[in-house]
Short mmCIF file of all heavy atoms in Angstrom, two decimals:
data_model
loop_
_atom_site.label_atom_id
_atom_site.label_comp_id
_atom_site.label_asym_id
_atom_site.label_seq_id
_atom_site.Cartn_x
_atom_site.Cartn_y
_atom_site.Cartn_z
N MET A 1 118.72 113.43 -24.40
CA MET A 1 120.08 113.87 -24.05
C MET A 1 120.97 113.22 -25.09
O MET A 1 120.84 112.04 -25.37
CB MET A 1 120.44 113.46 -22.60
CG MET A 1 121.85 113.81 -22.25
SD MET A 1 122.31 113.65 -20.58
CE MET A 1 121.45 112.29 -19.96
N THR A 2 122.01 113.87 -25.51
CA THR A 2 122.92 113.28 -26.45
C THR A 2 123.92 112.47 -25.78
O THR A 2 124.21 112.52 -24.56
CB THR A 2 123.64 114.46 -27.23
OG1 THR A 2 124.37 115.18 -26.33
CG2 THR A 2 122.66 115.33 -28.00
N LYS A 3 124.57 111.62 -26.56
CA LYS A 3 125.62 110.68 -26.05
C LYS A 3 126.89 111.42 -25.45
O LYS A 3 127.45 111.03 -24.62
CB LYS A 3 126.01 109.66 -27.01
CG LYS A 3 124.97 108.70 -27.29
CD LYS A 3 125.50 107.56 -28.22
CE LYS A 3 124.50 106.45 -28.34
NZ LYS A 3 125.02 105.30 -29.18
N ASN A 4 127.19 112.57 -26.15
CA ASN A 4 128.37 113.31 -25.75
C ASN A 4 128.11 114.40 -24.70
O ASN A 4 128.78 115.43 -24.78
CB ASN A 4 129.08 113.84 -26.93
CG ASN A 4 128.23 114.68 -27.82
OD1 ASN A 4 127.02 114.86 -27.50
ND2 ASN A 4 128.70 115.19 -28.89
N ALA A 5 127.09 114.25 -23.92
CA ALA A 5 126.73 115.26 -22.96
C ALA A 5 127.79 115.29 -21.82
O ALA A 5 128.38 114.18 -21.52
CB ALA A 5 125.39 115.01 -22.32
N SER A 6 127.99 116.39 -21.21
CA SER A 6 128.95 116.45 -20.13
C SER A 6 128.50 115.74 -18.88
O SER A 6 127.24 115.52 -18.74
CB SER A 6 129.30 117.90 -19.85
OG SER A 6 128.14 118.51 -19.19
N PRO A 7 129.33 115.41 -17.98
CA PRO A 7 128.86 114.73 -16.76
C PRO A 7 127.92 115.57 -15.96
O PRO A 7 127.06 115.03 -15.30
CB PRO A 7 130.18 114.47 -15.96
CG PRO A 7 131.25 114.49 -16.99
CD PRO A 7 130.81 115.45 -18.05
N LEU A 8 128.11 116.85 -16.04
CA LEU A 8 127.17 117.79 -15.27
C LEU A 8 125.75 117.77 -15.88
O LEU A 8 124.79 117.74 -15.16
CB LEU A 8 127.79 119.21 -15.22
CG LEU A 8 127.04 120.19 -14.32
CD1 LEU A 8 127.03 119.71 -12.87
CD2 LEU A 8 127.71 121.53 -14.40
N GLN A 9 125.74 117.72 -17.16
CA GLN A 9 124.45 117.62 -17.81
C GLN A 9 123.71 116.32 -17.53
O GLN A 9 122.52 116.21 -17.38
CB GLN A 9 124.57 117.88 -19.33
CG GLN A 9 124.90 119.24 -19.71
CD GLN A 9 125.18 119.38 -21.19
OE1 GLN A 9 125.65 118.41 -21.90
NE2 GLN A 9 125.04 120.61 -21.80
N LYS A 10 124.50 115.24 -17.46
CA LYS A 10 123.96 113.97 -17.13
C LYS A 10 123.39 113.90 -15.75
O LYS A 10 122.34 113.39 -15.48
CB LYS A 10 124.99 112.82 -17.43
CG LYS A 10 125.41 112.52 -18.79
CD LYS A 10 126.46 111.47 -18.83
CE LYS A 10 126.81 111.27 -20.29
NZ LYS A 10 127.95 110.24 -20.35
N LEU A 11 124.19 114.50 -14.79
CA LEU A 11 123.76 114.56 -13.46
C LEU A 11 122.45 115.31 -13.30
O LEU A 11 121.57 115.00 -12.60
CB LEU A 11 124.82 115.16 -12.56
CG LEU A 11 124.56 115.31 -11.11
CD1 LEU A 11 124.39 113.96 -10.48
CD2 LEU A 11 125.64 116.13 -10.43
N GLN A 12 122.40 116.55 -14.02
CA GLN A 12 121.24 117.35 -13.99
C GLN A 12 120.03 116.56 -14.58
O GLN A 12 119.00 116.63 -13.96
CB GLN A 12 121.44 118.63 -14.79
CG GLN A 12 120.28 119.53 -14.74
CD GLN A 12 120.48 120.80 -15.61
OE1 GLN A 12 121.49 120.91 -16.28
NE2 GLN A 12 119.57 121.68 -15.63
N CYS A 13 120.14 115.89 -15.61
CA CYS A 13 119.13 115.15 -16.24
C CYS A 13 118.63 114.03 -15.26
O CYS A 13 117.43 113.79 -15.13
CB CYS A 13 119.57 114.54 -17.55
SG CYS A 13 118.26 113.69 -18.48
N ASN A 14 119.58 113.31 -14.64
CA ASN A 14 119.24 112.22 -13.77
C ASN A 14 118.47 112.83 -12.50
O ASN A 14 117.51 112.22 -12.05
CB ASN A 14 120.46 111.47 -13.32
CG ASN A 14 120.94 110.57 -14.40
OD1 ASN A 14 120.25 110.21 -15.37
ND2 ASN A 14 122.24 110.24 -14.31
N ALA A 15 118.92 113.93 -12.00
CA ALA A 15 118.26 114.56 -10.83
C ALA A 15 116.88 115.02 -11.16
O ALA A 15 115.97 114.77 -10.39
CB ALA A 15 119.13 115.70 -10.37
N GLN A 16 116.72 115.57 -12.37
CA GLN A 16 115.36 115.99 -12.66
C GLN A 16 114.45 114.84 -12.92
O GLN A 16 113.26 114.92 -12.56
CB GLN A 16 115.43 116.90 -13.98
CG GLN A 16 116.04 118.27 -13.81
CD GLN A 16 116.20 119.02 -15.13
OE1 GLN A 16 116.06 118.49 -16.13
NE2 GLN A 16 116.43 120.33 -14.98
N ARG A 17 114.92 113.78 -13.51
CA ARG A 17 114.14 112.61 -13.70
C ARG A 17 113.72 112.02 -12.39
O ARG A 17 112.56 111.55 -12.19
CB ARG A 17 114.84 111.62 -14.57
CG ARG A 17 114.02 110.38 -14.99
CD ARG A 17 114.72 109.44 -15.88
NE ARG A 17 115.33 110.06 -17.01
CZ ARG A 17 116.72 109.93 -17.25
NH1 ARG A 17 117.41 109.21 -16.45
NH2 ARG A 17 117.23 110.49 -18.25
N TRP A 18 114.66 112.00 -11.40
CA TRP A 18 114.36 111.35 -10.08
C TRP A 18 113.34 112.22 -9.33
O TRP A 18 112.50 111.69 -8.74
CB TRP A 18 115.74 111.29 -9.32
CG TRP A 18 115.60 110.48 -8.06
CD1 TRP A 18 115.55 109.17 -7.89
CD2 TRP A 18 115.36 111.10 -6.80
NE1 TRP A 18 115.37 108.83 -6.58
CE2 TRP A 18 115.23 110.01 -5.86
CE3 TRP A 18 115.24 112.40 -6.22
CZ2 TRP A 18 114.99 110.14 -4.51
CZ3 TRP A 18 115.07 112.57 -4.94
CH2 TRP A 18 114.94 111.48 -4.08
N LEU A 19 113.53 113.55 -9.46
CA LEU A 19 112.54 114.42 -8.78
C LEU A 19 111.18 114.32 -9.36
O LEU A 19 110.23 114.52 -8.67
CB LEU A 19 113.07 115.92 -8.77
CG LEU A 19 114.16 116.18 -7.78
CD1 LEU A 19 114.69 117.61 -7.93
CD2 LEU A 19 113.70 115.96 -6.28
N GLN A 20 111.08 114.13 -10.70
CA GLN A 20 109.78 113.96 -11.26
C GLN A 20 109.13 112.66 -10.84
O GLN A 20 107.89 112.57 -10.78
CB GLN A 20 109.89 113.98 -12.82
CG GLN A 20 110.21 115.36 -13.36
CD GLN A 20 110.45 115.29 -14.86
OE1 GLN A 20 110.56 114.23 -15.48
NE2 GLN A 20 110.57 116.51 -15.43
N ASP A 21 109.93 111.66 -10.54
CA ASP A 21 109.39 110.41 -9.98
C ASP A 21 108.95 110.42 -8.52
O ASP A 21 108.22 109.56 -8.11
CB ASP A 21 110.39 109.24 -10.17
CG ASP A 21 110.69 108.90 -11.60
OD1 ASP A 21 109.85 109.31 -12.51
OD2 ASP A 21 111.71 108.31 -11.98
N HIS A 22 109.44 111.47 -7.82
CA HIS A 22 109.15 111.61 -6.40
C HIS A 22 108.63 113.00 -6.09
O HIS A 22 109.35 113.84 -5.50
CB HIS A 22 110.42 111.31 -5.58
CG HIS A 22 110.97 110.03 -5.77
ND1 HIS A 22 111.97 109.68 -6.72
CD2 HIS A 22 110.75 108.80 -5.14
CE1 HIS A 22 112.28 108.46 -6.71
NE2 HIS A 22 111.53 107.89 -5.73
N PRO A 23 107.40 113.33 -6.47
CA PRO A 23 106.92 114.73 -6.29
C PRO A 23 106.74 115.16 -4.86
O PRO A 23 106.95 116.32 -4.52
CB PRO A 23 105.55 114.68 -7.01
CG PRO A 23 105.13 113.24 -7.07
CD PRO A 23 106.43 112.51 -7.11
N LYS A 24 106.44 114.23 -4.01
CA LYS A 24 106.19 114.57 -2.57
C LYS A 24 107.58 114.95 -1.93
O LYS A 24 107.65 115.99 -1.20
CB LYS A 24 105.66 113.45 -1.79
CG LYS A 24 104.17 113.20 -2.18
CD LYS A 24 103.54 112.12 -1.34
CE LYS A 24 102.11 111.84 -1.75
NZ LYS A 24 101.47 110.82 -0.99
N LEU A 25 108.59 114.23 -2.27
CA LEU A 25 109.92 114.60 -1.75
C LEU A 25 110.48 115.91 -2.38
O LEU A 25 111.10 116.71 -1.66
CB LEU A 25 110.96 113.49 -2.06
CG LEU A 25 112.35 113.73 -1.50
CD1 LEU A 25 112.23 113.75 0.00
CD2 LEU A 25 113.19 112.55 -1.90
N GLU A 26 110.07 116.17 -3.58
CA GLU A 26 110.44 117.47 -4.21
C GLU A 26 109.73 118.61 -3.47
O GLU A 26 110.38 119.68 -3.16
CB GLU A 26 110.10 117.48 -5.68
CG GLU A 26 110.39 118.75 -6.39
CD GLU A 26 109.94 118.83 -7.83
OE1 GLU A 26 109.23 117.90 -8.28
OE2 GLU A 26 110.45 119.74 -8.54
N ALA A 27 108.48 118.40 -3.07
CA ALA A 27 107.76 119.41 -2.33
C ALA A 27 108.40 119.69 -0.93
O ALA A 27 108.53 120.83 -0.54
CB ALA A 27 106.32 119.08 -2.15
N VAL A 28 108.81 118.66 -0.34
CA VAL A 28 109.45 118.72 0.99
C VAL A 28 110.78 119.48 0.81
O VAL A 28 111.09 120.30 1.69
CB VAL A 28 109.72 117.31 1.62
CG1 VAL A 28 110.60 117.45 2.85
CG2 VAL A 28 108.33 116.72 2.01
N LEU A 29 111.53 119.13 -0.21
CA LEU A 29 112.80 119.89 -0.43
C LEU A 29 112.61 121.36 -0.76
O LEU A 29 113.39 122.22 -0.25
CB LEU A 29 113.55 119.16 -1.58
CG LEU A 29 114.10 117.80 -1.24
CD1 LEU A 29 114.76 117.18 -2.54
CD2 LEU A 29 115.17 117.84 -0.09
N TRP A 30 111.63 121.74 -1.52
CA TRP A 30 111.27 123.11 -1.71
C TRP A 30 110.90 123.75 -0.43
O TRP A 30 111.28 124.94 -0.20
CB TRP A 30 110.23 123.28 -2.75
CG TRP A 30 110.64 123.18 -4.20
CD1 TRP A 30 110.48 122.25 -5.05
CD2 TRP A 30 111.52 124.18 -4.80
NE1 TRP A 30 111.11 122.55 -6.23
CE2 TRP A 30 111.74 123.76 -6.13
CE3 TRP A 30 112.02 125.40 -4.47
CZ2 TRP A 30 112.52 124.44 -6.97
CZ3 TRP A 30 112.87 126.15 -5.37
CH2 TRP A 30 113.06 125.60 -6.62
N PHE A 31 110.09 123.12 0.36
CA PHE A 31 109.64 123.69 1.64
C PHE A 31 110.87 123.95 2.52
O PHE A 31 110.96 124.94 3.16
CB PHE A 31 108.64 122.83 2.31
CG PHE A 31 108.21 123.22 3.73
CD1 PHE A 31 107.43 124.34 3.87
CD2 PHE A 31 108.74 122.60 4.84
CE1 PHE A 31 107.00 124.70 5.17
CE2 PHE A 31 108.44 123.02 6.11
CZ PHE A 31 107.56 124.07 6.24
N LEU A 32 111.74 122.94 2.65
CA LEU A 32 112.91 123.16 3.49
C LEU A 32 113.89 124.26 2.95
O LEU A 32 114.53 124.97 3.75
CB LEU A 32 113.72 121.82 3.51
CG LEU A 32 113.03 120.71 4.34
CD1 LEU A 32 113.88 119.46 4.25
CD2 LEU A 32 112.87 121.12 5.76
N ALA A 33 114.00 124.42 1.66
CA ALA A 33 114.78 125.47 1.05
C ALA A 33 114.18 126.85 1.44
O ALA A 33 114.90 127.76 1.82
CB ALA A 33 114.85 125.34 -0.43
N ALA A 34 112.86 126.97 1.26
CA ALA A 34 112.23 128.19 1.67
C ALA A 34 112.37 128.49 3.12
O ALA A 34 112.62 129.61 3.61
CB ALA A 34 110.72 128.16 1.28
N LEU A 35 112.21 127.51 3.97
CA LEU A 35 112.33 127.64 5.50
C LEU A 35 113.74 128.08 5.79
O LEU A 35 113.93 128.88 6.68
CB LEU A 35 111.94 126.34 6.15
CG LEU A 35 111.81 126.36 7.64
CD1 LEU A 35 110.58 127.22 7.92
CD2 LEU A 35 111.56 124.95 8.13
N GLY A 36 114.74 127.52 5.12
CA GLY A 36 116.08 127.88 5.37
C GLY A 36 116.42 129.28 5.03
O GLY A 36 117.13 130.01 5.74
N LEU A 37 115.87 129.79 3.89
CA LEU A 37 116.06 131.12 3.51
C LEU A 37 115.37 132.11 4.47
O LEU A 37 115.90 133.18 4.79
CB LEU A 37 115.57 131.36 2.12
CG LEU A 37 116.47 130.72 1.00
CD1 LEU A 37 115.77 130.84 -0.36
CD2 LEU A 37 117.86 131.27 0.96
N ILE A 38 114.17 131.72 4.92
CA ILE A 38 113.48 132.59 5.86
C ILE A 38 114.29 132.68 7.19
O ILE A 38 114.33 133.70 7.79
CB ILE A 38 112.05 132.07 6.14
CG1 ILE A 38 111.23 132.38 4.82
CG2 ILE A 38 111.35 132.76 7.30
CD1 ILE A 38 109.86 131.66 4.87
N ALA A 39 114.80 131.48 7.71
CA ALA A 39 115.57 131.48 8.86
C ALA A 39 116.87 132.35 8.68
O ALA A 39 117.21 133.05 9.67
CB ALA A 39 115.97 129.99 9.16
N LEU A 40 117.47 132.29 7.52
CA LEU A 40 118.62 133.14 7.30
C LEU A 40 118.29 134.59 7.37
O LEU A 40 118.99 135.47 7.97
CB LEU A 40 119.27 132.77 5.99
CG LEU A 40 120.53 133.51 5.55
CD1 LEU A 40 121.65 133.05 6.46
CD2 LEU A 40 120.94 133.16 4.12
N LEU A 41 117.13 135.00 6.81
CA LEU A 41 116.68 136.36 6.81
C LEU A 41 116.41 136.83 8.28
O LEU A 41 116.83 137.90 8.68
CB LEU A 41 115.50 136.54 5.93
CG LEU A 41 114.84 138.00 5.89
CD1 LEU A 41 115.80 138.82 5.26
CD2 LEU A 41 113.55 137.92 5.11
N VAL A 42 115.70 136.02 9.00
CA VAL A 42 115.40 136.40 10.38
C VAL A 42 116.73 136.46 11.22
O VAL A 42 116.88 137.40 12.05
CB VAL A 42 114.43 135.26 10.97
CG1 VAL A 42 114.40 135.39 12.47
CG2 VAL A 42 113.11 135.37 10.43
N TRP A 43 117.66 135.55 10.95
CA TRP A 43 118.89 135.63 11.74
C TRP A 43 119.60 136.92 11.34
O TRP A 43 120.14 137.59 12.28
CB TRP A 43 119.78 134.43 11.37
CG TRP A 43 121.17 134.50 11.91
CD1 TRP A 43 121.55 134.19 13.19
CD2 TRP A 43 122.35 134.91 11.27
NE1 TRP A 43 122.91 134.37 13.31
CE2 TRP A 43 123.40 134.92 12.19
CE3 TRP A 43 122.61 135.39 9.93
CZ2 TRP A 43 124.69 135.20 11.88
CZ3 TRP A 43 123.88 135.73 9.61
CH2 TRP A 43 124.91 135.68 10.56
N PHE A 44 119.63 137.33 10.09
CA PHE A 44 120.34 138.57 9.72
C PHE A 44 119.67 139.78 10.34
O PHE A 44 120.36 140.61 10.89
CB PHE A 44 120.31 138.62 8.20
CG PHE A 44 120.89 139.97 7.68
CD1 PHE A 44 122.23 140.24 7.73
CD2 PHE A 44 120.03 140.98 7.21
CE1 PHE A 44 122.81 141.45 7.34
CE2 PHE A 44 120.51 142.20 6.82
CZ PHE A 44 121.89 142.45 6.86
N LEU A 45 118.33 139.80 10.30
CA LEU A 45 117.68 140.98 10.79
C LEU A 45 117.72 141.06 12.34
O LEU A 45 117.74 142.12 12.95
CB LEU A 45 116.18 141.09 10.32
CG LEU A 45 116.00 141.27 8.85
CD1 LEU A 45 114.56 141.05 8.48
CD2 LEU A 45 116.61 142.53 8.39
N ALA A 46 117.79 139.88 12.99
CA ALA A 46 117.83 139.90 14.48
C ALA A 46 119.14 140.16 15.06
O ALA A 46 119.32 140.80 16.10
CB ALA A 46 117.29 138.53 14.98
N PHE A 47 120.25 139.65 14.42
CA PHE A 47 121.59 139.74 15.04
C PHE A 47 122.57 140.70 14.33
O PHE A 47 123.72 140.68 14.72
CB PHE A 47 122.14 138.31 15.09
CG PHE A 47 121.36 137.37 15.95
CD1 PHE A 47 120.67 136.36 15.38
CD2 PHE A 47 121.32 137.60 17.31
CE1 PHE A 47 119.92 135.49 16.18
CE2 PHE A 47 120.56 136.75 18.12
CZ PHE A 47 119.85 135.68 17.59
N SER A 48 122.24 141.33 13.27
CA SER A 48 123.13 142.21 12.58
C SER A 48 123.10 143.63 12.99
O SER A 48 123.83 144.45 12.36
CB SER A 48 122.91 142.03 11.07
OG SER A 48 121.74 142.69 10.71
N ASN A 49 122.26 144.01 13.82
CA ASN A 49 122.04 145.46 14.20
C ASN A 49 121.61 146.27 12.94
O ASN A 49 122.00 147.44 12.84
CB ASN A 49 123.24 145.95 14.89
CG ASN A 49 123.53 145.42 16.22
OD1 ASN A 49 122.63 145.01 16.91
ND2 ASN A 49 124.82 145.37 16.55
N PHE A 50 120.93 145.61 12.06
CA PHE A 50 120.45 146.32 10.88
C PHE A 50 119.39 147.35 11.29
O PHE A 50 118.46 147.04 12.01
CB PHE A 50 119.87 145.34 9.89
CG PHE A 50 119.52 145.89 8.53
CD1 PHE A 50 120.44 146.25 7.64
CD2 PHE A 50 118.19 146.17 8.22
CE1 PHE A 50 120.12 146.83 6.36
CE2 PHE A 50 117.80 146.72 6.99
CZ PHE A 50 118.77 146.99 6.14
N GLY A 51 119.62 148.66 10.91
CA GLY A 51 118.68 149.68 11.24
C GLY A 51 119.12 150.44 12.47
O GLY A 51 118.49 151.41 12.87
N ALA A 52 120.15 149.96 13.18
CA ALA A 52 120.68 150.66 14.31
C ALA A 52 121.49 151.94 13.81
O ALA A 52 121.90 151.96 12.70
CB ALA A 52 121.64 149.78 15.15
N PRO A 53 121.53 152.98 14.62
CA PRO A 53 122.22 154.19 14.16
C PRO A 53 123.78 153.78 14.00
O PRO A 53 124.30 152.94 14.69
CB PRO A 53 122.05 155.16 15.39
CG PRO A 53 121.60 154.40 16.53
CD PRO A 53 120.90 153.16 15.99
N PRO A 54 124.39 154.43 13.05
CA PRO A 54 125.74 154.12 12.69
C PRO A 54 126.72 154.60 13.87
O PRO A 54 126.42 155.56 14.55
CB PRO A 54 126.00 154.83 11.40
CG PRO A 54 125.06 155.98 11.44
CD PRO A 54 123.85 155.47 12.12
N GLU A 55 127.78 153.90 13.96
CA GLU A 55 128.80 154.30 14.96
C GLU A 55 129.66 155.28 14.26
O GLU A 55 130.05 155.18 13.05
CB GLU A 55 129.60 153.03 15.37
CG GLU A 55 128.82 152.02 16.14
CD GLU A 55 129.69 150.82 16.53
OE1 GLU A 55 130.96 150.96 16.49
OE2 GLU A 55 129.11 149.76 16.87
N PHE A 56 130.10 156.28 15.05
CA PHE A 56 131.00 157.33 14.47
C PHE A 56 132.42 156.88 14.68
O PHE A 56 133.01 156.89 15.70
CB PHE A 56 130.71 158.60 15.12
CG PHE A 56 129.34 159.19 14.89
CD1 PHE A 56 128.36 159.12 15.87
CD2 PHE A 56 129.03 159.75 13.61
CE1 PHE A 56 127.04 159.50 15.61
CE2 PHE A 56 127.72 160.15 13.34
CZ PHE A 56 126.76 160.09 14.29
N VAL A 57 132.96 156.39 13.64
CA VAL A 57 134.30 155.78 13.63
C VAL A 57 135.36 156.82 13.85
O VAL A 57 136.30 156.54 14.54
CB VAL A 57 134.56 154.87 12.30
CG1 VAL A 57 135.87 154.35 12.36
CG2 VAL A 57 133.46 153.85 12.16
N TYR A 58 135.24 157.97 13.19
CA TYR A 58 136.32 158.93 13.23
C TYR A 58 136.22 159.84 14.44
O TYR A 58 137.01 160.79 14.54
CB TYR A 58 136.26 159.80 11.96
CG TYR A 58 136.41 158.96 10.73
CD1 TYR A 58 135.35 158.72 9.86
CD2 TYR A 58 137.61 158.33 10.43
CE1 TYR A 58 135.50 157.89 8.72
CE2 TYR A 58 137.81 157.50 9.30
CZ TYR A 58 136.70 157.34 8.49
OH TYR A 58 136.86 156.56 7.37
N GLN A 59 135.34 159.61 15.35
CA GLN A 59 135.17 160.43 16.53
C GLN A 59 136.40 160.36 17.45
O GLN A 59 136.75 161.28 18.16
CB GLN A 59 133.98 160.03 17.30
CG GLN A 59 133.52 160.92 18.40
CD GLN A 59 132.26 160.53 19.06
OE1 GLN A 59 131.85 159.37 18.89
NE2 GLN A 59 131.54 161.44 19.67
N GLN A 60 137.05 159.21 17.46
CA GLN A 60 138.26 158.99 18.30
C GLN A 60 139.50 159.57 17.79
O GLN A 60 140.44 159.69 18.55
CB GLN A 60 138.36 157.48 18.54
CG GLN A 60 137.20 156.88 19.18
CD GLN A 60 137.24 155.37 19.09
OE1 GLN A 60 138.19 154.76 18.54
NE2 GLN A 60 136.30 154.71 19.67
N PHE A 61 139.58 160.10 16.56
CA PHE A 61 140.80 160.57 16.00
C PHE A 61 140.97 162.04 16.16
O PHE A 61 140.05 162.78 16.20
CB PHE A 61 140.92 160.20 14.52
CG PHE A 61 141.04 158.67 14.23
CD1 PHE A 61 139.98 157.99 13.78
CD2 PHE A 61 142.16 158.02 14.58
CE1 PHE A 61 140.05 156.62 13.52
CE2 PHE A 61 142.28 156.67 14.37
CZ PHE A 61 141.17 155.98 13.87
#
């Protein structure tokens, strides 16, 4: 990394280095991220009425 790197680049470099030093924690974080996305998908499909017939909005006019 260069000396004039932005703070965001420094943070990214430090985070990558830290995750490389802790591979088990990185695996746990990936697992939690995947589990969270699956939970979001299940929530959407279960509670959004996705696939239900559409309501006829203009029927009342």
Side-chain angles (χ1 to χ4, degrees):
M1 179 171 33
T2 62
K3 287 187 175 183
N4 56 358
S6 71
L8 189 59
Q9 288 174 334
K10 289 179 184 179
L11 179 66
Q12 180 183 5
C13 184
N14 288 339
Q16 286 176 347
R17 189 179 309 123
W18 188 83
L19 284 174
Q20 287 175 353
D21 293 341
H22 302 89
K24 290 181 182 177
L25 185 59
E26 181 182 10
V28 169
L29 291 174
W30 276 111
F31 175 75
L32 290 176
L35 190 66
L37 290 174
I38 290 170
L40 184 65
L41 179 65
V42 168
W43 174 80
F44 174 74
L45 293 175
F47 298 111
S48 69
N49 292 330
F50 186 73
E55 297 179 15
F56 295 103
V57 177
Y58 300 110
Q59 189 176 22
Q60 299 167 355
F61 294 109

